[in-house]
Amino acid sequence: MLGQEPSTVQNVLAPPAISGRRLVKNYGPHRALAGVDIDVRRGEAVAIVGPSGSGKSTLLHVLAGIVAADHGEVHLGGSRIDNLSEARRSLLRRSEFGFVFQQGMLVAELTAEENVALPMLLGGSDRGQALQAARHWLDRLGLAGRYGSFPGELSGGQAQRVAIARALAHQPSVVFADEPTGQLDSRTGAEIMNVLLEICAETQAAILVVTHDRELAARATRSVAIRDGQIESAVLTA
Ligand SMILES: Nc1ncnc2c1ncn2[C@@H]1O[C@H](COP(=O)(O)OP(=O)(O)OP(=O)(O)O)[C@@H](O)[C@H]1O
Ligand SMILES: [Mg+2]
């Protein structure tokens, strides 16, 4: 795992945290990605915007190794990862990547702290240590006192905070967030986006966040617009 790195100069000199090269993905005759190049550095937040069906989720899934590209390469910290075995990629996903989805996708039968600890437990962490880390992240996300709550007992915003804690607790180098605020009202959405960006900046994770909300996208370091599976423009917003 890559450690914390306070120097942004080092971040610029280091290889990008995650890179996609000439990525192509076809679903039957439909071309979902048509040759996408993308680099995201540690400490950088990239908003992925574009119309429905333009390939945003597909790009995230291909970069994360959940979906295999038909052509192109994916590099993590300068090393090619798309050609690794499924077992190695699955291990990388657990240790190096964090995921936040539109709906928290929390396990209904587990408490908030157990949900956050789950990826660490699956990765072989000690139960006590995993739960301690889970509580630390729940505190960080303003959920102290909700350790024992089940997802059904939480508001949408609280559940999404648990999902963010779960995505960040193992200190991933890359965080993929696919419309993390899509189900929330605009005020809660803005709060959730703020906390997500703040923590990623603090831990120097690279984050790719898909959003339909231009205002939320403007909070990222830069925005990348996708149309018909191709990058249309990259706009520096901060
Ligand atoms: N598993 C699949 N099988 C077939 N076609 C798919 C599959 N996944 C995505 N597609 C198609 O690929 C294209 C890109 O889909 P994708 O989900 O990446 O779009 P998106 O930009 O995330 O859209 P949205 O904003 O609606 O989430 C769409 O035309 C979609 O129908
Ligand atoms: Mg999508």
Side-chain angles (χ1 to χ4, degrees):
M1 180 151 5
L2 302 163
Q4 282 201 19
E5 206 170 82
S7 163
T8 48
V9 174
Q10 268 179 337
N11 287 0
V12 172
L13 294 175
I18 189 105
S19 300
R21 287 284 164 271
R22 303 175 303 282
L23 294 173
V24 173
K25 176 68 192 173
N26 300 311
Y27 286 111
H30 181 75
R31 181 153 282 199
L33 293 181
V36 170
D37 284 295
I38 188 163
D39 284 322
V40 186
R41 297 189 172 277
R42 301 210 71 181
E44 214 183 10
V46 172
I48 313 281
V49 300
S52 182
S54 56
K56 305 180 297 295
S57 296
T58 305
L59 175 60
L60 258 49
H61 295 160
V62 165
L63 289 173
I66 296 167
V67 163
D70 294 312
H71 300 286
E73 297 181 4
V74 179
H75 295 248
L76 176 74
S79 303
R80 189 167 176 192
I81 57 167
D82 59 282
N83 56 358
L84 297 175
S85 67
E86 174 47 35
R88 291 281 314 280
R89 278 190 285 127
S90 158
L91 212 62
L92 271 182
R93 272 202 295 278
R94 264 195 236 136
S95 59
E96 294 290 335
F97 297 159
F99 298 93
V100 188
F101 301 98
Q102 184 168 358
Q103 279 155 333
M105 308 247 275
L106 300 174
V107 181
E109 295 78 14
L110 297 182
T111 61
E113 66 176 355
E114 288 168 341
N115 264 286
V116 175
L118 190 60
M120 290 180 277
L121 293 172
L122 291 174
S125 293
D126 167 78
R127 182 172 168 86
Q129 277 174 359
L131 287 174
Q132 197 181 1
R135 291 184 202 125
H136 164 82
W137 284 96
L138 287 170
D139 291 350
R140 181 71 185 75
L141 284 149
L143 289 171
R146 304 310 298 258
Y147 301 158
S149 298
F150 289 93
E153 299 167 344
L154 299 171
S155 71
Q158 287 169 337
Q160 205 57 330
R161 283 171 190 267
V162 174
I164 290 172
R166 183 182 57 185
L168 297 171
H170 60 291
Q171 308 223 0
S173 54
V174 184
V175 175
F176 297 98
D178 199 346
E179 298 190 52
T181 64
Q183 298 286 90
L184 306 174
D185 63 79
S186 58
R187 190 169 143 202
T188 312
E191 272 171 29
I192 291 290
M193 188 65 95
N194 281 344
V195 76
L196 185 61
L197 296 181
E198 196 182 299
I199 294 178
C200 285
E202 197 178 293
T203 61
Q204 290 288 288
I207 173 163
L208 289 92
V209 55
V210 172
T211 179
H212 276 115
D213 187 326
R214 293 263 165 189
E215 247 177 68
L216 294 185
R219 292 164 196 255
T221 323
R222 64 192 160 95
S223 281
V224 167
I226 300 197
R227 183 177 292 273
D228 298 331
Q230 281 184 310
I231 293 199
E232 204 177 39
S233 63
V235 183
L236 204 61
T237 52

